[in-house]
Amino acid sequence: MGEVHTGLLQNSGEIEESACRQVLALTAGETVRVSRRPIVHAVSPDRLTGVDCRLPSATQSRVRGVGTVLSRCAITGGRVAQGSSYVRLTRAEADRRLPWSHYLARPGVVEVLGKAKARDLADGFADDPPPGCLDLGAISGRFLDLAQSSPLLDRRAPFKVPRTRLRWVAESGEPAIRFVLRSDRTRSVLVVHDGAFTPAVADLCEDLALHDWLLTTLLVLLERARIGAVPGPEAAARLAPAVDHLLHLWMPAARLGDAMAPYWESLDRRPGFSRQWQSLVDRVRDQVTVNTLALLSVTAEAGRRRR
């Protein structure tokens, strides 16, 4: 299970690949991974956080987990930043806590001490964790804050929008995916896959979180434009940040392998992420086009009057 926080990079404009590397160089001596096609995507080195705490439980059972959380931060297109953390839960090999060397040798694994049902833990994780329980969101948020505080960023973002949080749980079984909007800022995803867990599942959820944030943010900017309630040029000006900073970033599943692509295809059938995105993009472009034509018409009329 994991949690991804996604937000606008706190900079006035898109940062270059070299700057992405520096912002994400959060662990000395480790390499920042960068892919350039089809869009620049930089990922920080993995970071481990040791945990020994209660695990979230839908039935409020006192279940203890010990191990390490695996976290990373990513920047897409020099514009959108993400903090991501996840763990794989396994039954403990012993009925007591072992030396930390045992857990450090198994990065991203939390061992469950005592009796616990997987469904109970999964359902408990979908809600906000109570105090004292494993909180992957807090770890993801702190890691993202660390990247956002880089002195290379001018902290003059072109618009303000809240971060979104996507919590995900992966289980073994017949392949399926379920996406739920829990609130304006929180989503949950259940991924059922055949075979053992692989990091590709985390890649899928980070990609889904990125595109959900893009869709959510474009909706917010359209609402703020107040199309029809304010003069056309004013509405078009309010939509300019969407054109400048968001529209070119929509590339679902572009970095996913063949095994994960069918999950995105399922989401495009229902609830229809790409259809909604294209509808919103068409509306933005129609507003810009209509107001550009109106401006050209006014300019031409003024020229005829001068003659």
Side-chain angles (χ1 to χ4, degrees):
M1 57 191 187
E3 183 161 334
V4 187
H5 286 210
T6 307
L8 184 68
L9 192 68
Q10 293 302 298
N11 200 64
S12 55
E14 177 181 319
I15 64 173
E16 299 178 350
E17 177 188 326
S18 58
C20 288
R21 291 182 183 273
Q22 295 178 67
V23 169
L24 296 180
L26 303 174
T27 304
E30 298 290 338
T31 302
V32 175
R33 294 168 289 152
V34 178
S35 59
R36 299 178 179 85
R37 300 289 186 272
I39 192 169
V40 174
H41 180 73
V43 183
S44 74
D46 292 337
R47 173 176 291 196
L48 296 181
T49 302
V51 295
D52 181 352
C53 58
R54 285 181 59 188
L55 298 177
S57 165
T59 60
Q60 304 300 315
S61 300
R62 298 189 68 85
V63 182
R64 182 183 178 187
V66 186
T68 58
V69 177
L70 193 151
S71 303
R72 60 192 180 190
C73 191
I75 297 175
T76 301
R79 212 67 209 94
V80 183
Q82 294 181 286
S84 174
S85 300
Y86 70 87
V87 296
R88 183 165 57 90
L89 299 183
T90 65
R91 294 198 180 276
E93 298 178 355
D95 59 359
R96 66 189 188 282
R97 173 175 162 171
L98 300 175
W100 271 113
S101 57
H102 168 79
Y103 303 108
L104 291 173
R106 309 180 70 189
V109 173
V110 168
E111 296 187 1
V112 180
L113 297 170
K115 295 181 180 180
K117 294 182 179 180
R119 183 75 269 149
D120 184 34
L121 297 179
D123 290 344
F125 179 67
D127 295 322
D128 290 328
C133 282
L134 177 64
D135 189 346
L136 297 183
I139 298 173
S140 296
R142 285 197 301 268
F143 204 20
L144 181 53
D145 288 341
L146 185 60
Q148 294 278 34
S149 65
S150 170
L152 295 174
L153 305 178
D154 61 24
R155 305 198 63 79
R156 295 198 301 268
F159 53 88
K160 293 183 179 181
V161 289
R163 295 178 182 178
T164 57
R165 302 182 297 174
L166 183 142
R167 297 189 184 116
W168 59 267
V169 173
E171 302 175 349
S172 296
E174 188 68 24
I177 187 168
R178 186 177 68 202
F179 178 89
V180 178
L181 283 170
R182 290 187 167 269
S183 70
D184 290 343
R185 297 177 56 185
T186 305
R187 293 88 170 88
S188 65
V189 175
L190 172 64
V191 180
V192 185
H193 59 98
D194 51 356
F197 171 82
T198 70
V201 176
D203 294 339
L204 167 68
C205 294
E206 289 168 9
D207 193 57
L208 176 56
L210 168 67
H211 289 84
D212 171 71
W213 180 87
L214 288 170
L215 185 56
T216 302
T217 301
L218 188 54
L219 277 166
V220 168
L221 293 182
L222 275 164
E223 290 173 358
R224 291 177 181 174
R226 302 185 64 205
I227 297 171
V230 299
E234 183 179 342
R238 293 180 182 182
L239 292 174
V243 178
D244 294 338
H245 302 284
L246 299 181
L247 301 191
H248 64 290
L249 298 177
W250 186 266
M251 296 184 187
R255 297 185 307 277
L256 301 181
D258 293 341
M260 294 294 108
Y263 291 101
W264 249 115
E265 294 169 3
S266 174
L267 290 172
D268 266 347
R269 288 193 299 272
R270 184 181 299 175
F273 275 74
S274 292
R275 288 198 305 274
Q276 186 178 11
W277 173 262
Q278 191 57 55
S279 174
L280 296 176
V281 169
D282 289 344
R283 194 176 185 199
V284 170
R285 288 178 172 159
D286 287 347
Q287 285 296 312
V288 173
T289 299
V290 166
N291 285 283
T292 300
L293 291 174
L295 179 61
L296 290 174
S297 177
V298 170
T299 302
E301 180 64 25
R304 285 195 294 271
R305 289 176 178 175
R306 285 196 296 269
R307 289 196 298 268

